[in-house]
Structure formats: structure tokens, C-alpha cells
């Protein structure tokens, strides 16, 4: 019998990026343990150099101790006043950094910035956030390659924000709002997508004693000078990445455990509940002084579910149709086409090669099996989308006839995955 594997994970990049924005306002040195040096985090770190911050990493990715793979990398962020940083900032593909930095730079009173953005990122939605910031007093001038920003004093008050495109518009404003002199009241219009990520931001701010309230579609943030980040931050493991190891565990029938954090701030932690409702047995064990979780199944059922709060796991859930007895029906997925690729279209084309038929009708994705499931050699195209690359790596390990065009794009979120590819998967 193959021994179970316990895999430590890098820190949640969603949490790290939020914490980096907060740290840049506090202007202090902070150590992150564990950390992440994925592209999304590195782009935020490099941008913060324009605000007098430097960063460094220590130790290597992983160390293997029997069946325990330990993540060792730490990150130190240091504030260096009067370092005369450059005001030109380059962003490649980090949508989170793009949206979070827009508010942060606009709020840096008295400083000018040139934000240069890769064409692919420039085509991703940001206008609703710019419109709101302009109402608050921001000075943003569009140009062919990005934006010129004159930092100024932003104003509180009551504003509306379209919430059906990206939750990051909301989080970008909330992360800064406690520094306003007046209370900010944000009224979210249209259907809220990825509400769990908004709640992540709110709960994170509350953990640092920021006074903030949410009632249905209205959020209030009250002025506060009390933000005080600790000198060392122990950040939650990345549950977006954890879902891929659990998928491998289900497909390979090998037990792979990831750290278990009760009351996680991350929406993707709820994927474990989705698996349980499909018939998976969740196993929580103690090992090496901490709790771990894995999932296995005897019979896997279909499901009809809204994925609004964990859109990054839509593609993971759809792949479970390879294992499930019944169809999988997914609702509330429309913002997937605003990601690194047009993910709905990619799923339809690439999953068909696996023998899955995805039908889009009545605002639902219906995932079915056809009669040509995984027959013959198949090459899967990642479309330079890190989430598809992570999933396709798993498939190529389970089904030897599957090849992948290119998976270097996983550096965007999970560069450490390559080590695990060759040592665990």
C-alpha cells in the first residue's frame, strides 16, 4: 500500500497581496512565513519599490522528510525611507496587483506614477474601479500603455460600484478606505460575484481592528488610525492550490493531505464541502503537530451548484465528471471569461478532447460524458492560463496518453508545483 503524502503549501497569494497593500500604508518591515514567490506576488512586490519598499526571500522551496514535503521559503519586506524610487511601474499579467495598486497609487498624496501595463492585462476590466476612484478625487489619465496617476487625497462619502464583474474592484477600495477622513459607504450594484473574496478582505481588516460593516449590498468603512500589522505574519496556506492536490488524490486513489485551517478566510476552502456533498469522505488527521485534510470516495455523485464564491474551482469541479456517476451542473460562472483566458470557451474545447461534453444553456454549464472518453493520444492546450496548466499536469500523470503544449505559465500562481510534479505526482 502506498503511504499517504503530507504536502505543505505556500501562503495564499490572495491574502499576501492584501497584506502587502496594508503593509505599504503602515510603512514598516514585515516577515511573511510561509510566503509565495509566484508571479502575482512578485509583480506587487516590484511595484511597491516605487513606495520605498524592498523585499528578499530566504531558503528553498521544499524539503522532503519521509512522506512530508515542507515549504520553507520566507519573505521579508522592508521599508526604506528616502530611497528615491522610480515612479514607473510595469505590470505583466497580475490582475490582482493591477486593481489593488490602482487605488493604492491614487491615494499616495503628492507623488506621480506611470503605470505601464501588458496588453493582455490592459484588456481586462478595470473601468468601474477607475470611475469610482475619479468620483473620490483620483487623478488618472489613460494612455496607450497604461495610466499616468497623480497621487492625491481621496474623499469618503457614499458611492455605488458595479459588483458583477470583479470582486477585486471592491477589495481595492476597502483595503485603503480606513485611511479616509470620512466614512466610506459603498453600495454594490448588480449581482455580486466572488462575494467570498470581498468577505475575505472584510474579515482580514477586522482582524486588525478596522471598523467595517457589511449589510447585504452595503459596506461601511470607518476612519481608523489603529492599523498595526505584526512584525511576523503567519499566512494561511493557499487553498486554491490545495484543490489541485485533492483532485490528484481523488483521481489517483492515493491519499494526499494538505494543511487544515479551521475558519479559513479563503472561499476556495469551501470546495471541501462541495466534495463532501458529492459523496467524498473527508479525512482529518493530526501529523507533525498540526491538522491535515484529504478526500477519497467510493461512489461520486453529480451536483447542481452555484460557483459564484469560488470561480477558480469551476474547471476543477468540471473535471470531476470523469469520475462522477451523474452530470455536473454549474451556475454563476459568467465572470470566468474575464480571467487569464476565456475559460468557458477553453473548457468547452479542451475538455471535449477528454470525452466531456459541456453544454451552455439557461445560464448553466452542464457537464456530460460522451462515448469517446480518453481514447487515443490527446494534446491539451493551456492557452497560457495557469489554472488549466495545473489541472492538465495532473491529467497527464493519470493518463499517459495526454500531453500538454506548455505549462510554464504556472509560475503565475504556483511555481513550486514543478517540484511536486516530479517528486509526488
Amino acid at each position: 500500500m502506498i503511504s499517504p503524502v503530507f504536502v505543505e503549501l505556500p501562503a495564499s497569494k490572495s491574502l499576501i497581496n492584501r497584506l502587502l497593500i496594508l503593509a505599504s500604508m503602515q510603512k514598516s518591515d514585515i516577515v511573511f512565513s510561509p510566503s509565495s514567490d509566484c508571479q502575482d506576488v512578485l509583480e506587487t512586490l516590484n511595484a511597491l519599490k516605487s513606495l520605498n519598499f524592498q523585499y528578499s526571500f530566504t531558503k528553498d522551496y521544499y524539503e522532503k522528510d519521509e512522506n512530508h514535503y515542507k515549504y520553507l521559503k520566507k519573505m521579508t519586506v522592508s521599508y526604506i525611507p528616502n530611497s528615491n524610487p522610480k515612479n514607473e511601474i510595469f505590470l505583466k499579467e497580475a490582475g490582482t496587483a493591477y486593481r489593488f495598486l490602482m487605488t493604492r497609487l491614487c491615494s499616495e498624496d503628492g507623488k506621480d506614477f506611470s503605470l505601464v501595463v501588458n496588453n493582455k492585462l490592459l484588456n481586462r476590466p478595470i473601468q468601474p474601479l477607475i470611475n469610482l476612484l475619479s468620483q473620490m478625487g483620483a487623478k488618472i489619465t489613460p494612455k496607450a500603455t497604461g495610466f499616468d496617476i497623480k497621487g492625491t487625497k481621496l474623499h469618503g462619502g457614499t458611492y455605488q460600484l458595479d459588483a458583477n464583474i470583479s470582486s477585486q474592484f471592491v477589495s481595492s477600495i476597502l483595503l485603503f478606505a480606513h485611511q479616509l477622513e470620512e466614512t466610506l459607504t459603498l453600495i454594490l450594484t448588480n449581482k455580486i460575484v466572488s462575494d467570498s473574496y470581498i468577505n475575505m478582505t472584510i474579515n482580514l481588516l477586522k482582524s486588525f481592528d478596522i471598523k467595517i460593516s457589511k449589510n447585504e449590498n452595503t459596506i461601511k468603512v470607518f476612519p481608523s488610525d489603529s492599523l498595526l500589522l505584526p512584525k511576523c505574519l503567519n499566512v494561511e496556506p493557499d487553498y486554491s492550490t490545495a484543490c489541485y492536490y485533492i483532485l490528484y488524490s481523488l483521481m489517483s486513489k492515493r491519499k494526499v493531505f494538505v494543511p487544515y485551517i479551521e475558519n479559513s478566510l479563503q472561499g476556495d476552502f469551501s470546495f471541501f464541502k462541495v466534495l463532501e456533498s458529492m459523496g467524498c469522505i473527508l479525512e482529518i488527521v493530526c501529523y507533525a503537530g498540526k491538522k491535515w485534510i484529504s478526500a477519497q470516495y467510493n461512489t461520486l455523485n453529480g451536483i447542481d451548484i452555484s460557483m459564484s464564491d469560488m470561480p477558480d474551482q469551476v474547471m476543477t469541479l468540471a473535471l470531476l465528471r470523469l469520475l462522477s456517476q451523474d452530470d455536473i451542473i454549474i451556475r454563476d460562472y459568467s465572470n470566468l471569461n474575464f480571467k487569464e483566458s476565456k475559460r468557458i470557451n477553453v473548457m468547452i474545447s479542451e475538455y471535449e478532447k477528454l470525452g466531456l461534453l459541456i453544454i451552455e444553456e439557461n445560464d448553466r454549464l452542464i457537464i456530460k460524458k460522451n462515448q469517446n472518453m480518453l481514447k487515443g493520444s490527446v494534446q491539451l492546450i493551456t492557452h497560457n492560463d495557469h489554472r488549466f496548466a495545473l489541472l492538465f499536469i495532473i491529467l497527464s500523470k493519470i493518463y499517459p496518453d495526454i500531453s500538454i503544449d506548455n505549462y510554464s505559465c504556472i509560475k503565475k500562481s504556483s511555481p513550486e508545483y514543478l517540484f511536486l510534479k516530479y517528486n509526488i505526482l
Side-chain angles (χ1 to χ4, degrees):
M1 181 176 179
I2 300 176
S3 299
V5 174
F6 297 83
V7 181
E8 301 279 5
L9 297 168
S12 161
K13 62 186 177 65
S14 295
L15 285 171
I16 283 185
N17 273 319
R18 284 162 172 78
L19 290 164
L20 285 173
I21 294 298
L22 294 173
S24 74
M25 291 183 274
Q26 182 173 295
K27 298 182 178 179
S28 61
D29 298 355
I30 294 178
V31 175
F32 292 80
S33 177
S35 64
S36 170
D37 65 350
C38 68
Q39 184 179 335
D40 275 0
V41 170
L42 289 178
E43 289 200 41
T44 301
L45 287 166
N46 286 323
L48 292 179
K49 289 180 180 179
S50 66
L51 297 173
N52 299 300
F53 278 85
Q54 298 293 328
Y55 66 90
S56 62
F57 288 95
T58 60
K59 299 193 177 180
D60 297 325
Y61 277 131
Y62 275 94
E63 171 185 281
K64 183 178 183 295
D65 178 12
E66 295 183 354
N67 57 346
H68 184 191
Y69 291 80
K70 302 176 183 178
Y71 188 82
L72 297 173
K73 191 171 284 288
K74 292 183 180 181
M75 177 176 75
T76 300
V77 180
S78 304
Y79 177 65
I80 305 174
N82 304 318
S83 56
N84 297 317
K86 294 181 179 179
N87 71 342
E88 192 169 44
I89 299 168
F90 295 91
L91 293 179
K92 294 180 181 179
E93 294 189 32
T96 306
Y98 183 31
R99 290 156 180 162
F100 286 5
L101 284 165
M102 185 63 71
T103 301
R104 181 65 189 92
L105 298 178
C106 286
S107 68
E108 192 70 6
D109 193 13
K111 290 190 177 181
D112 296 343
F113 304 95
S114 173
L115 187 58
V116 179
V117 183
N118 176 282
N119 281 337
K120 186 176 179 180
L121 189 57
L122 196 58
N123 289 328
R124 292 181 66 178
I126 199 166
Q127 197 59 46
L129 176 59
I130 290 175
N131 292 343
L132 173 55
L133 286 169
S134 298
Q135 293 176 50
M136 296 173 68
K139 298 176 181 178
I140 307 168
T141 304
K143 57 183 181 181
T145 57
F147 303 90
D148 286 329
I149 297 172
K150 288 185 174 293
T152 189
K153 189 175 183 179
L154 301 182
H155 308 296
T158 300
Y159 303 93
Q160 292 188 348
L161 178 59
D162 189 345
N164 74 340
I165 298 175
S166 174
S167 65
Q168 290 175 353
F169 300 159
V170 182
S171 290
S172 179
I173 297 294
L174 297 183
L175 288 168
F176 167 76
H178 67 278
Q179 291 205 333
L180 296 167
E181 292 183 357
E182 310 92 4
T183 297
L184 174 78
T185 301
L186 206 55
I187 301 171
L188 307 183
T189 61
N190 295 317
K191 187 171 183 177
I192 301 173
V193 298
S194 302
D195 196 33
S196 62
Y197 284 88
I198 297 173
N199 291 332
M200 173 196 287
T201 304
I202 290 172
N203 290 327
L204 184 65
L205 291 167
K206 284 182 176 179
S207 73
F208 297 120
D209 297 324
I210 300 300
K211 189 177 179 184
I212 182 171
S213 66
K214 181 185 178 192
N215 182 17
E216 295 183 352
N217 68 330
T218 301
I219 304 172
K220 287 182 179 287
V221 187
F222 301 89
S224 174
D225 295 323
S226 64
L227 177 66
L228 184 61
L229 301 179
K231 291 183 178 180
C232 186
L233 282 165
N234 194 325
V235 187
E236 284 186 18
D238 190 339
Y239 280 114
S240 294
T241 302
C243 293
Y244 304 120
Y245 295 111
I246 297 303
L247 176 67
Y248 174 74
S249 186
L250 295 172
M251 286 190 149
S252 66
K253 293 289 187 176
R254 181 183 187 185
K255 285 187 180 181
V256 179
F257 286 87
V258 295
Y260 176 73
I261 305 292
E262 294 182 80
N263 303 315
S264 169
L265 296 176
Q266 299 169 70
D268 281 4
F269 184 77
S270 296
F271 195 66
F272 287 105
K273 293 181 180 178
V274 175
L275 294 175
E276 193 171 32
S277 69
M278 294 177 70
C280 285
I281 299 169
L282 303 183
E283 184 177 359
I284 299 173
V285 301
C286 289
Y287 176 80
K290 62 194 294 185
K291 289 185 177 180
W292 304 77
I293 187 169
S294 186
Q296 293 292 307
Y297 73 97
N298 293 316
T299 300
L300 198 65
N301 305 312
I303 195 171
D304 184 337
I305 188 172
S306 167
M307 292 293 281
S308 177
D309 282 344
M310 44 183 151
D312 286 337
Q313 299 310 324
V314 166
M315 297 89 73
T316 313
L317 178 61
L319 275 183
L320 287 176
R321 186 63 184 93
L322 293 170
L323 308 176
S324 69
Q325 296 188 115
D326 310 303
D327 290 347
I328 292 173
I329 299 173
I330 297 172
R331 305 174 188 271
D332 301 318
Y333 56 86
S334 60
N335 67 326
L336 285 183
N337 276 342
F338 299 130
K339 302 290 186 176
E340 284 79 359
S341 68
K342 292 187 175 181
R343 287 179 173 168
I344 300 168
N345 298 343
V346 174
M347 273 200 301
I348 291 172
S349 65
E350 298 304 314
Y351 286 17
E352 183 180 9
K353 300 175 184 177
L354 304 171
L356 296 181
L357 177 64
I358 299 181
I359 302 169
E360 188 175 12
E361 65 177 27
N362 300 325
D363 298 322
R364 302 180 304 164
L365 292 177
I366 305 171
I367 298 92
K368 297 177 171 288
K369 288 180 185 175
N370 66 30
Q371 294 180 350
N372 298 313
M373 238 183 85
L374 291 167
K375 291 183 178 179
S377 299
V378 170
Q379 184 182 51
L380 297 175
I381 311 300
T382 65
H383 296 260
N384 202 36
D385 189 321
H386 61 119
R387 301 240 172 248
F388 283 113
L390 291 164
L391 293 169
F392 294 170
I393 286 172
I394 292 172
L395 290 173
S396 69
K397 287 294 182 179
I398 302 296
Y399 305 104
D401 288 336
I402 288 178
S403 61
I404 310 168
D405 68 326
N406 174 31
Y407 50 74
S408 62
C409 54
I410 67 170
K411 294 176 183 178
K412 186 175 191 301
S413 61
S414 307
E416 76 290 337
Y417 201 77
L418 283 181
F419 174 88
L420 297 169
K421 175 184 185 296
Y422 294 112
N423 288 274
I424 298 176
L425 302 185

